[in-house]
Amino acid sequence: MKNDLKKAIELLDNGGYTCVLCREDIVYTGMERGVKPLLDWLDSDKEFRGFCAADKVVGKAAAFLYVLLGVETVYAPVMSRGAIDTLERYDIQPLYDCSVDKIINRAKTGICPMEETVWDISSPEEALRAIKIKLTKLLIQQP
């Protein structure tokens, strides 16, 4: 296992982060839930090609965002089959402890809204547009 990936996994496990990107001496961490850190990184002017990622849970939506970030490896304890297929299609190595058919929402009452949003999408750019629209709708619906 690459040192960058080992470092990312160690930080994920012990640092209280939701996702971590590592390449050599450069480390980026996220503490927000869901795809928010990935969207923030995409909106930054930083370059993420060649980074290794470790994330708490990776569904197909997150996988598309990792494709757009250009990482080379993504590890998650739980990864959906849609995420695995997406990452492999774009030559990103998926590593996981457990694969599931789909990611379940936080209330455990159905499919994760992000996973559902990109379920039938095959383009990373189309997925990004759909994710942003869905997040805007979800924010509007919050009390």
Side-chain angles (χ1 to χ4, degrees):
M1 184 183 302
K2 255 183 99 166
N3 284 337
D4 292 339
L5 183 59
K6 282 183 187 177
K7 185 177 190 177
I9 293 170
E10 184 177 308
L11 286 167
L12 181 75
D13 289 344
N14 301 316
Y17 303 110
T18 57
C19 54
V20 179
L21 296 178
C22 291
R23 188 185 74 206
E24 298 168 3
D25 292 334
I26 304 169
V27 176
Y28 296 102
T29 58
M31 297 191 86
E32 298 91 357
R33 297 173 88 176
V35 297
K36 174 100 173 67
L38 306 180
L39 291 169
D40 290 345
W41 291 331
L42 278 170
D43 287 341
S44 76
D45 290 334
K46 297 178 177 79
E47 175 61 47
F48 298 100
R49 299 234 172 265
F51 276 74
C52 291
D55 199 318
K56 293 284 184 188
V57 176
V58 174
K60 190 174 177 181
F64 275 127
L65 299 179
Y66 280 119
V67 167
L68 292 169
L69 285 168
V71 302
E72 68 177 36
T73 305
V74 177
Y75 163 80
V78 178
M79 191 175 290
S80 73
R81 288 185 183 81
I84 295 165
D85 293 344
T86 299
L87 293 170
E88 288 177 341
R89 186 174 335 114
Y90 290 93
D91 297 320
I92 297 171
Q93 181 182 19
L95 298 169
Y96 49 90
D97 298 330
C98 174
S99 67
V100 295
D101 288 332
K102 52 190 146 201
I103 303 300
I104 302 301
N105 65 24
R106 292 180 190 139
K108 299 188 184 337
T109 57
I111 187 169
C112 164
M114 293 297 109
E115 184 98 339
E116 187 173 40
T117 297
V118 300
W119 192 258
D120 294 320
I121 292 177
S122 58
S123 153
E125 295 78 15
E126 185 183 347
L128 178 60
R129 283 189 297 277
I131 290 165
K132 287 182 174 183
I133 290 167
K134 182 65 172 185
L135 283 174
T136 300
K137 288 178 182 174
L138 289 172
L139 287 173
I140 290 170
Q141 292 172 358
Q142 285 184 345

